[in-house]
Amino acid sequence: MIEGLRHILYPEVCVACRALLRTGEQLVCGSCLDGFSPYPGTAAGGDALKRVVRDHFGQEDVPAGAWCLYPYRGSGRLHDAMHSLKYEGIFPLGRLFGRKLGELVASSGPTGFDGIVPVPLHRLKLVERTYNQAGKIAEGVAEVLGIPLLPKVIVRRRYTDTQTGLTSSARRLNLHGAFGPGSQPCPPRVLVVDDVVTTGATMTAAAGVLRGCGASLVSFAAVALTEKI
Ligand SMILES: [Zn+2]
């Protein structure tokens, strides 16, 4: 019954290229998954993410640890898949990416995180989209790592305009006061999870609030990092 429903809701074609999926493939075909071109090795994506934060905001905002699966370009199959996740309701894709991200984090060795914190959406945007794509990714990460998912440690207080096209200082200004403490207590060591990072402004703003809530160690994990063009 549930399987039947799934077939109706998600026709068995790849969300990125629309090719029919083969047995064992889910949501994204093997050829697209290969075509997403992950960063080589365990550390390269995280190092690139740390570098972006350092370049835009300085050394003091560089996270304790960082992981990232893919370099992100403004077009192509990964872009199509991320768009499906964010705007077309294909939320199970978030968990799929999240599990891959969780495996990447786990491959670095024991993490010691107390909780996984998705970058929250404003409640009005949540109503509009019905789900938080970062929350779905964080579910997959939490599942693989066996660490509690803490979606209410911080909240998005302001309905921020789109960040696209803004410089890093404008992004920071746009996000000033965007997050605030939520209803869950913040444990000492947390991993913040988001879908796509461009300058790191969103995660940096979220990390600042988490530190204010008592976190002593904040790390970042993102599915993709926008490449400098
Ligand atoms: Zn495909």
Side-chain angles (χ1 to χ4, degrees), residues 14-19 21 28-33 77:
C14 169
V15 297
C17 74
R18 312 291 165 191
L21 293 178
V28 182
C29 75
S31 140
C32 279
L33 270 182
R77 291 180 179 185

